[in-house]
Amino acid sequence: MSIVTRLVFAAIVTLSHALPTFAQEGSLNISTGSGPSAEVPDPRAGYNGWLSNQTGVTETLMGIDYDLKLYPRLAESIEQSSPTKWRVTLRDRVQFHDGTPLTAQAVIDAIAPISDHSHPGHNARVMNLLDLAEMSADGDSVVVFETNNPNAAFPWTLSEPGIAILGPPSDAFPINATGPYSFAEAVPNQFYRVEANPNYRLGPPGLEEVRAVVSGDPATAALAFEAGEVDMVINYPESDFERINSTGALGFSEPTARLYFYTVNAASGPMANPLVRRAVSLAIDRQGIVDAVLSGVGGSAAGTVYPDGKGWAADVQAVYDPAKAEELLSEAGAVKQGGRWMLDGEPLEIDIVTYSSRAALSPTAELTQAFLSAIGITANVKVGEWGASSDAIADGSADLFLQAWVTTPQGDPGAVLETLLKSDGASNSGNYANAALDKLLEKGRLTFDHEEREAIYDEAQHIIAADTAIIPVFHVNQVVVAKPGLTGYAVHPTETYWITHETKFVE
């Protein structure tokens, strides 16, 4: 049975709506690595929707469960009526925080700003994923979406947290959504607070208040946890996980779809040469990095974009072969002098940039520097903010940008590849371009048969590996630590949910 057919008849039997229960005066303080971009952060802009989705403020039409399966959320069902047309029937008796009902027109009004360049909710990344030509209401309960092109990933795209369904804002509800918690206040890049929605359709949530406190430095977050300033830390430092568990803290370490990888500067500098890219990739001992950086909490060396066991992964192995790396450097025209490689008469230097909000990033970059040095390549590491690092790779002042992304945030394989590696991808900061890959990614959108799509994305991954379009390093478990007394929490493989939720389909 196809995904579309299954979803037409799908109904959620149970949905646990509360954030993790915690016995501390009805509140939960969570330390997280990133935060709101404004005092009233529009969930549709940037990645604000991830935080509002995680804290239970906003909801999406579709959702992703803990097995990375798609289910109707605010939608009751979704049906494809033509190659470019989808009919979404809304769930009954859903209300926004201000008490107004969820209607088809409200959904249209919420999604339209994503494509409006003049609106604060504009989001080029999400706009490209949606590829909308038109939206219309068929009565109060059915939204008809028409895309510019056939798009097999469209139902999955509707689970993207940035496609948050919002009602008209007011002073009382500046973010007027439908979730079990309502937005209370935010301080940009510092703090995000939500309060219980007593009128939530599945009953009041288990906590009166949840606070997300931003700490860009995982070590600082760990100190705040031990000092009792926060109750829970998302992405706790891997190197301290074993010790903190021995103190009686609750530890969670579960596989996710997050990949640590290098974006390559494919437009200028040494990494513009595919032979040099391949050589750099072969010089990196990925298993050595996993063993040293992740401290046994869980992770696996990555040869391709998607992790084993989470769907879509091609059979592309992580290879460590420094001798082959040196052969490729010679083939690229480099010459080794005094133990160091020279290219075009200049020392071969690789500038690596990354950011500090995840504990594993800096040591991964430093170990990469050591592995490159071991074969005679000089590498420099600079740790800053994500935006500055992205700018550096885009303007050619850096050669490698170490990042950590969830590769199937909507459960579908196409979105991240299109965003990162398509010639016009919204986050293609390395300016990589490959016409064959572009065509495959377009074909993946246009193909609705699951087995055919698997073959398409398998081929795409082999192209990425052969051309070293990015350099995967490892897939990682998400590490979370909480004080004793926490119940009802589980690590979600997309990391976009802190709310525990269960789904069961009836066909």
Side-chain angles (χ1 to χ4, degrees):
M1 179 176 287
S2 72
I3 185 68
V4 173
T5 304
R6 179 167 63 85
L7 287 172
V8 170
F9 299 101
I12 295 178
V13 175
T14 62
L15 176 64
S16 174
H17 57 272
L19 277 159
T21 303
F22 193 80
Q24 184 177 328
E25 300 176 357
S27 67
L28 183 69
N29 295 316
I30 303 174
S31 177
T32 186
S34 59
S37 64
E39 290 184 357
V40 181
D42 192 311
R44 296 162 294 195
Y47 286 91
N48 288 326
W50 283 49
L51 186 57
S52 63
N53 191 75
Q54 289 163 332
T55 54
V57 173
T58 55
E59 296 177 300
T60 49
L61 291 171
M62 306 296 291
I64 303 294
D65 70 13
Y66 282 81
D67 294 317
L68 284 178
K69 294 178 181 177
L70 190 66
Y71 70 91
R73 200 175 180 195
L74 289 179
E76 181 178 282
S77 64
I78 183 169
E79 179 181 8
Q80 187 178 20
S81 56
S82 81
T84 59
K85 192 170 288 188
W86 301 84
R87 293 175 59 85
V88 174
T89 301
L90 302 177
R91 197 168 294 281
D92 289 337
R93 296 184 295 276
V94 176
Q95 291 185 341
F96 290 107
H97 292 147
D98 66 359
T100 58
L102 174 69
T103 64
Q105 188 58 51
V107 170
I108 293 170
D109 293 342
I111 294 176
I114 292 171
S115 302
D116 182 352
H117 291 262
S118 65
H119 194 281
H122 172 64
N123 191 318
R125 175 183 62 86
V126 177
M127 179 181 72
N128 289 339
L129 294 176
L130 285 167
D131 188 33
L132 286 176
E134 186 178 1
M135 294 182 287
S136 60
D138 185 358
D140 283 341
S141 61
V142 176
V143 185
V144 180
F145 294 94
E146 186 163 0
T147 57
N148 290 304
N149 302 285
N151 181 5
F154 186 78
W156 302 85
T157 298
L158 295 180
S159 72
E160 157 64 45
I163 310 175
I165 305 305
L166 307 172
S170 64
D171 289 342
F173 299 102
I175 299 176
N176 188 20
T178 60
Y181 291 84
S182 61
F183 172 78
E185 62 177 323
V187 175
N189 301 311
Q190 294 184 39
F191 179 76
Y192 191 90
R193 185 171 69 87
V194 305
E195 297 175 342
N197 171 16
N199 300 315
Y200 186 58
R201 65 183 183 278
L202 297 175
L207 292 163
E208 296 173 6
E209 178 183 78
V210 177
R211 301 177 182 182
V213 181
V214 180
S215 177
D217 181 359
T220 301
L223 291 174
F225 177 75
E226 292 213 72
E229 296 169 5
V230 296
D231 307 314
M232 185 176 186
V233 177
I234 306 294
N235 297 315
Y236 192 88
E238 290 89 352
S239 59
D240 194 45
F241 187 66
E242 183 177 354
R243 183 198 66 81
I244 197 67
N245 279 341
S246 70
T247 69
L250 295 178
F252 304 84
S253 175
E254 295 294 337
T256 70
R258 184 170 294 278
L259 172 70
Y260 282 62
F261 68 97
Y262 284 104
T263 290
V264 302
N265 176 5
S268 64
M271 299 301 289
N273 186 328
L275 291 172
V276 176
R277 296 201 295 265
R278 287 177 58 199
V280 168
S281 178
L282 288 168
I284 299 172
D285 181 358
R286 292 161 172 80
Q287 188 59 51
I289 291 176
V290 167
D291 294 341
V293 172
L294 300 184
S295 303
V297 302
S300 59
T304 190
V305 178
Y306 311 109
D308 289 337
K310 295 295 180 185
W312 303 107
D315 184 15
V316 179
Q317 300 302 310
V319 179
Y320 173 50
D321 191 341
K324 180 64 176 177
E326 297 208 55
E327 289 179 18
L328 290 174
L329 290 174
S330 293
E331 188 178 341
V335 177
K336 202 168 190 180
Q337 298 179 358
R340 311 308 294 174
W341 285 97
M342 307 288 290
L343 184 63
D344 298 328
E346 300 288 338
L348 177 55
E349 290 195 27
I350 303 293
D351 291 320
I352 301 171
V353 293
T354 190
Y355 46 102
S356 59
S357 61
R358 292 181 179 273
L361 286 169
S362 293
T364 296
E366 290 163 3
L367 284 170
T368 300
Q369 179 186 38
F371 290 131
L372 293 178
S373 179
I375 66 166
I377 296 176
T378 299
N380 310 299
V381 175
K382 183 178 180 180
V383 180
E385 298 298 323
W386 184 90
S389 297
S390 182
D391 290 344
I393 200 79
D395 67 22
S397 58
D399 303 302
L400 291 174
F401 175 21
L402 181 61
Q403 304 190 67
W405 281 43
V406 173
T407 56
T408 51
Q410 300 94 30
D412 187 84
V416 163
L417 294 187
E418 291 179 28
T419 299
L420 281 174
L421 293 174
K422 204 164 180 234
S423 297
D424 60 354
S427 295
N428 184 359
S429 56
N431 297 302
Y432 177 79
N434 184 312
L437 182 61
D438 286 350
K439 289 180 180 179
L440 269 180
L441 296 180
E442 290 169 5
K443 187 178 179 181
R445 274 200 176 206
L446 300 174
T447 302
F448 290 86
D449 181 85
H450 183 73
E451 291 185 0
E452 290 181 20
R453 295 190 82 222
E454 284 188 324
I456 289 168
Y457 289 108
D458 189 270
E459 184 179 353
Q461 289 170 78
H462 280 91
I463 289 176
I464 291 166
D467 203 28
T468 323
I470 61 172
I471 301 177
V473 183
F474 57 83
H475 296 106
V476 67
N477 285 13
Q478 185 177 58
V479 175
V480 176
V481 167
K483 291 184 177 181
L486 181 85
T487 60
Y489 174 77
V491 172
H492 193 276
T494 70
E495 302 182 19
T496 56
Y497 299 85
W498 294 342
I499 299 173
T500 54
H501 58 296
E502 298 174 357
T503 59
K504 181 178 179 182
F505 294 106
V506 177
E507 300 181 357

